[in-house]
């Protein structure tokens, strides 16, 4: 004898077919047979011969969506909700289509409608959380993602997006905790390691006196090992290594600093092999060469960065530093004068580089003085 749950699973399709037409039922079968042209034809015939039924328009919209014909899908789904304003499946799919098109305002409208109709809609809350991340409204994102977690526990992607939302609030501890939870639930997802690495990086873990507290590099390495070989991932890997090198320079651990600079260069070169237009990678290679005292190579790298993006003030500032170190004071003055044109209030970030913080006006005065002495 069949158990009750098994009877229900068998009975549900029967109930659907019993309440609909042969034409719709034929389209329904074609839809799940992945015969989408046949499904479309059957659903259109059902509407033409039997009149407007919300369910028919819903499935016609779902069919168009699977075929990639989104404008037709939206038209059918809107007709479904016009006929039945409580058809939450149509609202959810409309939200999905608009979200994919990056029309986030429209997506918000339809996801909110779905949640109004069904307050315990996991999909509605989960997607609204992502919409509010796009709007850079982390508090709203956290609210809906926490609701999604209440409805369906232990979904790794909920914690992944929660981590991003906490980063948006500059709550690094909560962000790292959320990414930890995501990794516990899905330990081989490269995006989770990448974003936890971003969390650690934003907390400046590269400045930790204890090497065991320097986690961001390991997370970027893990994300690459799991398949995230993107320019952004290699760039951030290089950034955290470069910053660790700066920390060791400032704490007089010279040999370790040089090792980090060498390794950072390898990561930035990988960025450039994937994206030759990555001007910041050239700039940061220049920084590493500068602190390795390979000044000619630093100059060449800074010049490549400037060729790609000539109006970035700190590219010219860094090239000026390299010329100044080579005692080419006229060239340093030329670069720093360009910095002044781009940003008269420019100041070197003393908290980032081992060099002391100086305004561009002060640098120009120094270069002029040295030019006059020569």
């Amino acid at each position: 004898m069949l158990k009750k749950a098994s009877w229900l699973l068998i009975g549900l399709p029967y109930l659907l077919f019993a309440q609909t037409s042969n034409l719709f039922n034929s389209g329904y079968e074609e839809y799940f047979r992945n015969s989408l042209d046949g499904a479309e034809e059957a659903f259109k015939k059902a509407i033409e011969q039997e009149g407007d039924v919300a369910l028919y328009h819903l499935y016609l919209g779902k069919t168009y969506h699977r075929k990639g014909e989104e404008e037709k899908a939206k038209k059918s789904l809107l007709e479904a909700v016009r006929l039945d304003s409580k058809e939450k499946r149509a609202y959810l799919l409309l939200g999905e289509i608009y979200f994919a098109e990056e029309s986030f305002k429209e997506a918000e409208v339809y996801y909110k409608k779905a949640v109004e109709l069904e307050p315990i809609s996991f999909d509605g809350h989960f997607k609204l959380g992502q919409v509010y991340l796009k709007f850079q409204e982390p508090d709203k994102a956290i609210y809906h993602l926490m609701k999604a977690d209440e409805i369906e526990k232990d979904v790794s992607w909920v914690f992944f997006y929660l981590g991003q939302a906490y980063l948006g609030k500059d709550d690094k501890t909560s962000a790292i905790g959320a990414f930890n939870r995501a990794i516990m639930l899905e330990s081989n997802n490269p995006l989770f390691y990448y974003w936890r690495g971003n969390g650690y990086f934003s907390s400046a873990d590269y400045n930790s006196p204890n090497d065991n507290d320097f986690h961001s590099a390991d997370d970027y390495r893990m994300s690459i090992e799991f398949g995230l070989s993107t320019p952004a991932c290699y760039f951030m890997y290089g950034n955290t290594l470069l910053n660790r090198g700066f920390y060791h320079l400032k704490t007089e651990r010279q040999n370790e600093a040089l090792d980090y600079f060498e390794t950072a260069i390898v990561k930035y070169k990988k960025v450039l092999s994937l994206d030759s237009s990555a001007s910041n990678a050239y700039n940061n290679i220049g920084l590493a060469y500068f602190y390795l005292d390979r000044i000619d190579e630093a100059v060449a790298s800074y010049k490549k960065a400037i060729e790609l993006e000539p109006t970035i003030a700190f590219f010219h500032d860094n090239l000026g530093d390299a010329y100044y170190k080579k005692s080419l004071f006229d060239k340093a003055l030329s670069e720093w004068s360009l910095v002044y044109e781009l940003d008269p209030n420019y100041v070197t970030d003393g908290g980032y580089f081992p060099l002391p913080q100086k305004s561009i006006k002060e640098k120009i005065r120094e270069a002029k003085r040295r030019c006059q002495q020569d």
Side-chain angles (χ1 to χ4, degrees):
M1 183 175 182
L2 288 172
K3 294 182 179 179
K4 185 174 182 181
S6 300
W7 180 86
L8 286 171
L9 289 172
I10 294 170
L12 281 174
Y14 169 78
L15 291 173
L16 174 63
F17 279 78
Q19 296 170 10
T20 54
S21 72
N22 288 334
L23 280 170
F24 174 81
N25 294 342
S26 173
Y28 187 82
E29 289 183 348
E30 292 296 289
Y31 177 88
F32 284 99
R33 195 177 282 127
N34 295 316
S35 177
L36 298 179
D37 289 339
E40 177 188 351
E41 183 180 355
F43 292 140
K44 286 165 75 174
K45 282 184 178 178
I47 293 167
E48 181 183 338
Q49 295 183 19
E50 298 169 29
D52 286 328
V53 177
L55 184 65
Y56 298 0
H57 284 282
L58 169 67
Y59 270 90
L60 181 57
K62 285 163 67 75
T63 302
Y64 284 135
H65 173 60
R66 289 184 62 194
K67 292 179 71 173
E69 299 178 28
E70 303 297 29
E71 291 306 313
K72 290 182 179 179
K74 286 187 279 189
K75 184 177 178 181
S76 293
L77 294 167
L78 287 169
E79 184 63 13
V81 297
R82 185 189 70 80
L83 294 164
D84 181 359
S85 61
K86 295 183 179 181
E87 182 48 85
K88 71 176 183 65
R89 293 171 295 181
Y91 289 119
L92 285 172
L93 187 49
L94 281 164
E96 181 181 333
I97 292 169
Y98 280 110
F99 188 93
E101 293 176 347
E102 299 187 355
S103 298
F104 301 119
K105 279 291 184 185
E106 289 84 355
E108 178 192 21
V109 169
Y110 292 117
Y111 285 135
K112 285 177 74 174
K113 187 65 178 177
V115 167
E116 287 171 10
L117 290 168
E118 186 181 356
I120 59 169
S121 168
F122 171 84
D123 289 334
H125 286 292
F126 180 58
K127 294 301 292 189
L128 272 174
Q130 294 172 60
V131 166
Y132 289 121
L133 279 175
K134 297 294 184 182
F135 291 159
Q136 298 183 4
E137 297 183 46
D139 287 322
K140 288 183 179 180
I142 290 166
Y143 171 81
H144 285 286
L145 290 166
M146 294 295 287
K147 282 289 185 182
D149 181 56
E150 290 175 12
I151 296 163
E152 189 172 335
K153 290 291 185 183
D154 294 337
V155 176
S156 60
W157 286 92
V158 169
F159 292 98
F160 170 69
Y161 288 118
L162 271 171
Q164 292 190 23
Y166 284 125
L167 279 182
K169 287 172 60 70
D170 202 32
D171 183 351
K172 302 172 187 70
T173 301
S174 296
I176 291 168
F179 292 132
N180 283 341
R181 183 64 178 155
I183 289 169
M184 285 178 61
L185 294 166
E186 191 177 339
S187 61
N188 61 351
N189 191 313
L191 278 174
F192 297 174
Y193 289 97
Y194 173 73
W195 275 93
R196 188 175 68 177
N198 290 345
Y200 282 123
F201 183 85
S202 68
S203 72
D205 71 329
Y206 45 78
N207 283 333
S208 173
N210 188 340
D211 288 339
N212 292 327
D213 293 330
F214 177 46
H215 300 294
S216 53
D218 287 336
D219 274 346
Y220 294 132
R221 176 182 55 79
M222 288 294 291
S223 66
I224 291 166
E225 288 182 6
F226 282 123
L228 192 67
S229 296
T230 62
C233 189
Y234 279 104
F235 184 73
M236 290 305 300
Y237 198 176
N239 284 351
T240 202
L241 295 170
L242 183 67
N243 277 278
R244 190 64 172 166
F246 290 157
Y247 171 75
H248 284 322
L249 270 189
K250 288 184 279 190
T251 54
E252 300 182 351
R253 294 163 65 178
Q254 181 82 10
N255 290 337
E256 291 170 89
L258 299 182
D259 287 341
Y260 276 109
F261 295 146
E262 293 279 8
T263 310
I265 288 169
V266 173
K267 306 310 174 188
Y268 290 130
K269 285 185 175 180
K270 181 64 176 180
V271 173
L272 293 168
S273 74
L274 297 169
D275 180 4
S276 60
S277 68
S279 60
N280 269 311
Y282 280 117
N283 176 73
N284 290 6
I285 288 173
L287 286 170
Y289 280 138
F290 182 90
Y291 289 102
L292 287 166
D293 205 27
R294 292 159 62 177
I295 307 304
D296 288 337
E297 290 166 285
V299 167
S301 199
Y302 292 142
K303 284 182 174 180
K304 287 179 180 177
I306 290 168
E307 285 174 15
L308 289 166
E309 290 195 82
T311 60
I312 304 298
F314 62 84
F315 291 177
H316 291 282
D317 181 34
N318 292 337
L319 181 55
D321 286 339
Y323 282 139
Y324 193 89
K325 193 167 186 179
K326 285 171 64 68
S327 298
L328 299 173
F329 304 118
D330 56 338
K331 289 189 175 183
L333 177 59
S334 177
E335 292 301 320
W336 289 337
S337 295
L338 290 173
V339 174
Y340 183 78
E341 285 189 52
L342 289 165
D343 182 2
N345 298 311
Y346 180 90
V347 178
T348 303
D349 187 353
Y352 185 69
F353 302 122
L355 289 176
Q357 187 176 35
K358 289 183 180 179
S359 72
I360 196 60
K361 294 176 184 177
E362 185 179 356
K363 285 188 163 188
I364 288 172
R365 284 196 298 271
E366 286 185 9
K368 284 181 176 179
R369 179 174 56 81
R370 297 302 295 268
C371 285
Q372 289 168 356
Q373 289 175 351
D374 288 352

